[in-house]
Amino acid sequence: MVTPTHRAFSATRLRRNRADDFSRRLVRENRLSVDNLIYPVFVLEGEGQREAVPSMPGVERLSIDLLVEQAAEWVALGIPALALFPVIPPDEKSLSAAGAWDSQGLVQRTVRALKKAHPQLGVITDVALDPYTTHGQDGIIDNDGYVLNDVTVEALVNQAMSHADAGADVVAPSDMMDGRIGAIRQALEEGGHVNTRILAYSAKYASSYYGPFRDAVGSAANLGKGNKATYQMDPANSDEALHEVALDLEEGADMVMIKPGMPYLDIVHRVKRELQVPTFVYQVSGEYAMHMAAAQNGWLDGDQVMMESLTAMRRAGADGILTYFAVRAARLLKQQG
């Protein structure tokens, strides 16, 4: 391996290749493409409904009809897939989260509508109970408020199967329960959904960056001052993430997710380098909100910092990036040719 000690100035001038645009392009190590982008979207009940998310400038909750309509542009831009997140009315939430696997539920109807209108568009569904629970936790709780693992896994299997039955291409368990990937994979196999992929949120941290998302889906008020530290990962841990990813792969995950993004790029890099599997990262709502706030205040150039942040995720090893900037970045990439 060539090391810096084997190269000396002035025989080596590293600035030479930076001198012109053509050579910078030729030696560029990592490139961002529209193929790397997944667009997270929020869907709500009704027709012709459009609601802004105050803490996420430029992001809207859309009813199914408007979502399907707007998806035509996203397909034309070449965005490979959407990730669906439902906004569930309060009167449809419960302790059991039974609405999560209703065949006529919001997500199930959205999947069917999207696949009918845009069959080439990948549809990824969130497998988690927090939009459907009255307490905002990602699972079924006991009398002390502790999320019960195995009972929750049973519910998640029901939810994942209902999404697959509706036509979801990828189910994405984001709950962080132990053993849920294996249980979902077995159910999918037995149910004939052998090509339904599982994108496992394998290293999802108990992060403070999720606040705007919880506002967007309406779970913030339900969660209140509660937290998810008993099942989401400790932000201080790195080795544990490798164990989580390895377990999910052994149980049948096709792709793995690290969440959040930029504060956890070391985890993305370790997973990609050490396990060499399809590795995704989620540039979460808090990251998006910070970028947008700085841009709107004129503190940062919005387009430049957006592209830099997404390129950093590619550089760390991410194959796919869930980002609220997906459409904006795709438009810019198209302009750049």
Side-chain angles (χ1 to χ4, degrees), residues 250-291:
E250 185 176 0
E251 291 178 20
D254 301 287
M255 302 161 276
V256 298
M257 175 81 77
I258 288 81
K259 181 180 179 181
M262 191 170 290
Y264 296 86
L265 292 186
D266 60 317
I267 309 302
V268 176
H269 183 65
R270 285 196 66 185
V271 168
K272 189 63 178 179
R273 183 188 64 198
E274 297 182 31
L275 298 175
Q276 300 178 354
V277 295
T279 304
F280 290 15
V281 67
Y282 199 144
Q283 186 179 49
V284 300
S285 59
E287 297 174 71
Y288 173 85
M290 289 192 302
H291 282 78

Side-chain angles (χ1 to χ4, degrees), residues 233-263:
M233 281 188 57
D234 186 336
N237 292 358
S238 175
D239 292 342
E240 184 184 13
L242 273 294
H243 291 286
E244 287 280 9
V245 171
L247 280 168
D248 285 352
L249 291 169
E250 185 176 0
E251 291 178 20
D254 301 287
M255 302 161 276
V256 298
M257 175 81 77
I258 288 81
K259 181 180 179 181
M262 191 170 290

Side-chain angles (χ1 to χ4, degrees), residues 2-75:
V2 176
T3 65
T5 57
H6 294 151
R7 306 183 75 180
F9 178 82
S10 62
T12 298
R13 290 179 181 264
L14 291 177
R15 287 185 58 190
R16 285 195 193 106
N17 284 336
R18 303 175 198 154
D20 297 288
D21 178 67
F22 83 87
S23 57
R24 290 193 297 270
R25 289 163 55 200
L26 284 170
V27 302
R28 188 162 292 147
E29 297 174 27
N30 296 282
R31 285 176 170 79
L32 177 69
S33 162
V34 68
D35 296 336
N36 306 120
L37 303 176
I38 299 168
Y39 191 34
V41 296
F42 300 107
V43 61
L44 77 169
E45 292 285 7
E47 293 185 6
Q49 298 298 307
R50 183 190 302 271
E51 297 177 355
V53 181
S55 55
M56 300 176 70
V59 173
E60 296 178 313
R61 310 176 188 96
L62 299 172
S63 53
I64 297 175
D65 57 325
L66 296 185
L67 179 63
V68 170
E69 180 182 312
Q70 289 200 205
E73 182 202 357
W74 308 334
V75 170

Side-chain angles (χ1 to χ4, degrees), residues 93-106:
K93 298 175 186 279
S94 66
L95 286 172
S96 67
W101 54 91
D102 182 350
S103 63
Q104 296 304 312
L106 179 58

Side-chain angles (χ1 to χ4, degrees), residues 43-332:
V43 61
L44 77 169
E45 292 285 7
E47 293 185 6
Q49 298 298 307
R50 183 190 302 271
E51 297 177 355
V53 181
S55 55
M56 300 176 70
V59 173
E60 296 178 313
R61 310 176 188 96
L62 299 172
S63 53
I64 297 175
D65 57 325
L66 296 185
L67 179 63
V68 170
E69 180 182 312
Q70 289 200 205
E73 182 202 357
W74 308 334
V75 170
L77 285 169
I79 292 173
L82 306 182
L84 290 179
F85 297 95
V87 182
I88 302 302
D91 60 357
E92 295 183 19
K93 298 175 186 279
S94 66
L95 286 172
S96 67
W101 54 91
D102 182 350
S103 63
Q104 296 304 312
L106 179 58
V107 169
Q108 291 81 355
R109 285 181 281 121
T110 304
V111 171
R112 288 192 289 266
L114 281 169
K115 293 307 294 183
K116 180 179 180 181
H118 309 290
Q120 70 274 52
L121 181 65
V123 176
I124 303 170
T125 57
D126 184 46
V127 178
L129 304 184
D130 51 324
Y132 300 89
T133 58
T134 51
H135 43 71
Q137 294 287 354
D138 291 33
I140 310 302
I141 60 173
D142 64 15
N143 292 334
D144 297 320
Y146 182 79
V147 174
L148 300 168
N149 193 91
D150 296 359
V151 174
T152 296
V153 168
E154 293 178 11
L156 294 171
V157 169
N158 292 335
Q159 184 182 24
M161 286 300 294
S162 74
H163 293 176
D165 288 341
D169 301 292
V170 183
V171 292
S174 64
D175 55 286
M176 290 299 289
M177 297 298 112
D178 291 333
R180 90 277 203 214
I181 301 301
I184 291 170
R185 173 56 69 206
Q186 181 179 349
L188 290 171
E189 289 287 319
E190 292 176 353
H193 297 295
V194 297
N195 284 330
T196 302
R197 279 130 286 186
I198 298 177
L199 168 58
Y201 283 63
S202 299
K204 181 177 180 179
Y205 285 84
S207 171
S208 298
Y209 284 87
Y210 303 148
F213 175 91
R214 291 170 183 167
D215 290 338
V217 298
S219 65
N222 300 93
L223 186 61
K225 295 182 179 180
N227 63 64
K228 303 186 179 184
T230 65
Y231 48 98
Q232 295 179 356
M233 281 188 57
D234 186 336
N237 292 358
S238 175
D239 292 342
E240 184 184 13
L242 273 294
H243 291 286
E244 287 280 9
V245 171
L247 280 168
D248 285 352
L249 291 169
E250 185 176 0
E251 291 178 20
D254 301 287
M255 302 161 276
V256 298
M257 175 81 77
I258 288 81
K259 181 180 179 181
M262 191 170 290
Y264 296 86
L265 292 186
D266 60 317
I267 309 302
V268 176
H269 183 65
R270 285 196 66 185
V271 168
K272 189 63 178 179
R273 183 188 64 198
E274 297 182 31
L275 298 175
Q276 300 178 354
V277 295
T279 304
F280 290 15
V281 67
Y282 199 144
Q283 186 179 49
V284 300
S285 59
E287 297 174 71
Y288 173 85
M290 289 192 302
H291 282 78
M292 289 298 294
Q296 290 179 343
N297 278 283
W299 300 332
L300 295 173
D301 182 296
D303 283 345
Q304 289 184 11
V305 77
M306 170 186 70
M307 299 303 282
E308 183 178 342
S309 67
L310 296 173
T311 300
M313 293 174 185
R314 288 284 292 136
R315 188 185 69 240
D319 302 295
I321 305 169
L322 273 78
T323 175
Y324 302 97
F325 285 122
V327 173
R328 182 172 169 180
R331 289 171 180 159
L332 190 58

